Amino acid sequence: MNKLRRKPVVGLALGSGSARGWAHFGVLHALREAGISPDIICGTSIGSLVGATYAAGEMDAFESWVLGLGKRKVFGFMDFNLGGGLLKGEKIIDFWRENFVQETMEELGAPFGCVATDLQTGAEVWLRKGSIAEAVRASIALPGLFTPSTHDGRLLVDGGLVNPVPVSLARAMGADIVIAVDLNADIMRKHMKPVDMSETDLKIHAREVRASQMPLDEDDEPPLPLGQIPEALAAHASPVGWSGKWKRSMTSVKTMSSSVMRMGRKDEGGEEEDDSPSIPSLLNVVMASVNIMQMRITRSRMAGDPAEVLIAPRLSHVGLMDFHRGRESIDEGYAATQLVLPALKGWGL
């Protein structure tokens, strides 16, 4: 007796990655061109934002808006906050809801779900019913950047803390074949690159510093440094004791330039270059920590429950806050999807 074979249910799991998430548009375009239409859409963080827009049939309109983003427009959506996170996150969500997605999850054309994290218990929370905007707002609440979201009496933050690429949610919603998009697979390549400072630049800085170390007689006019004298140093100048104050100012310059001096000495056959890394800003520390955490969690979870097809765009050159670089991210997502089309055909898609 011949058994009828049913068509496999295809799930799409869109991962977290903040501004790198615009690559999801490129992935969806490539899938659409290949005639692949996911039956189930799941997302974490930025993946939930793009995924919900796709499920609502508003992807093209939202993508056009993203491509028009500049730094000034991005800054205009930043509603700064004093507690719980740098930004409230309400401004962008309200705009998105009013212009793109107003439905509830039950009203979408395709089953949709997103992932958040319970801030108090650390539990993974699957959001599959009710307001799309509220669910997405919870899923994108990156700790330190956005304030936590209140949902059904729980404090929720970014789902990337526990499930950066929601393959498990897609399976729980009935997917037989899961196509996963990992935006963090390539991020460590950026941190492994050496600091880009040319040898010529180092020699110029070293000459400036050595010039500042030349001894001065009391009656001498101070030598003009390479470039204009900073206003901060000029403020120290006065008719009385000018030379002594100049020396103190140059001492400050030498202190601030000590790392550059050490790098310049290597060419003179002197001390070795100082390889100590510079201390990044607080925001950069938080963002780099999130990068590492999500990359490690993704590797662990994908090892236990791998997707049938994994799409991994090369996005190490795009920062987590580079929302104005949509074109680059979209192109990378499209290119990465083109590479896996043979694997998709292998699954009969």
Side-chain angles (χ1 to χ4, degrees), residues 263-283:
M263 288 189 287
R265 288 173 187 163
K266 190 172 182 180
D267 292 329
E268 300 292 325
E271 295 181 10
E272 288 295 322
E273 178 180 347
D274 184 8
D275 292 329
S276 301
S278 59
I279 303 300
S281 67
L282 173 61
L283 183 60

Side-chain angles (χ1 to χ4, degrees), residues 5 14 17 20 30 33 60 74 78 102 107 111 126 131 137 148 150 153 166 170 230 239 260 301 320:
R5 295 181 59 189
L14 302 178
R20 300 186 187 109
E33 288 178 6
D60 292 335
V74 171
M78 294 185 178
Q102 301 176 354
E107 296 173 313
W126 292 347
S131 169
R137 170 63 182 86
T150 303
V260 176
R301 296 204 60 155
L320 286 178

Side-chain angles (χ1 to χ4, degrees), residues 4 15 44 70 75 78-79 131 148 152 174 212 216 245 258 274 302:
L4 293 176
T44 295
F75 186 80
M78 294 185 178
D79 43 0
S131 169
D152 291 338
S212 72
L216 295 172
K245 292 184 179 182
S258 60
D274 184 8
M302 294 285 278

Side-chain angles (χ1 to χ4, degrees), residues 199-214 224-226 250 253 257 260-265 267-268:
E199 190 174 321
T200 302
D201 290 337
L202 293 177
K203 289 181 179 179
I204 291 174
H205 283 299
R207 284 200 299 269
E208 288 186 0
V209 173
R210 285 196 294 273
S212 72
Q213 291 179 297
M214 295 175 60
L224 183 66
L226 297 178
M250 294 315 302
V253 172
S257 306
V260 176
M261 287 165 39
R262 286 194 290 272
M263 288 189 287
R265 288 173 187 163
D267 292 329
E268 300 292 325

Side-chain angles (χ1 to χ4, degrees), residues 176-223:
D176 300 309
I177 298 173
V178 178
I179 303 169
V181 184
D182 181 7
L183 304 177
N184 301 310
D186 188 47
I187 56 175
M188 289 310 296
R189 191 161 60 91
K190 176 180 180 180
H191 300 294
M192 296 301 176
K193 288 183 178 179
V195 176
D196 185 15
M197 181 177 284
S198 68
E199 190 174 321
T200 302
D201 290 337
L202 293 177
K203 289 181 179 179
I204 291 174
H205 283 299
R207 284 200 299 269
E208 288 186 0
V209 173
R210 285 196 294 273
S212 72
Q213 291 179 297
M214 295 175 60
L216 295 172
D217 293 332
E218 291 297 325
D219 297 330
D220 286 344
E221 288 291 325

Side-chain angles (χ1 to χ4, degrees), residues 1 8 10 12 43 50 53 71 88 117 119 185 217 247 249 257 285 307 309 313 320 328 332 335-336 341 344:
M1 180 178 177
V10 179
L12 181 63
V50 176
T53 311
K71 290 184 179 180
K88 292 180 182 178
T117 304
L119 184 62
D217 293 332
K247 287 183 179 180
S249 298
S257 306
V285 169
V309 178
L320 286 178
E328 297 174 59
E332 291 293 345
L341 288 181
L344 292 169

Side-chain angles (χ1 to χ4, degrees), residues 39-103:
D39 303 296
I40 295 170
I41 311 294
C42 296
T44 295
S45 194
I46 191 71
S48 69
L49 183 72
V50 176
T53 311
Y54 174 81
E58 295 289 341
M59 187 189 80
D60 292 335
F62 186 46
E63 181 186 12
S64 296
W65 178 80
V66 166
L67 290 173
L69 283 176
K71 290 184 179 180
R72 181 173 296 181
K73 190 176 288 187
V74 171
F75 186 80
F77 281 101
M78 294 185 178
D79 43 0
F80 293 98
N81 182 56
L82 296 178
L86 181 64
L87 305 173
K88 292 180 182 178
E90 305 300 335
K91 215 170 186 181
I92 182 63
I93 286 295
D94 287 344
F95 173 85
W96 180 72
R97 174 171 44 197
E98 291 171 6
N99 291 275
F100 301 107
V101 180
Q102 301 176 354
E103 298 94 339

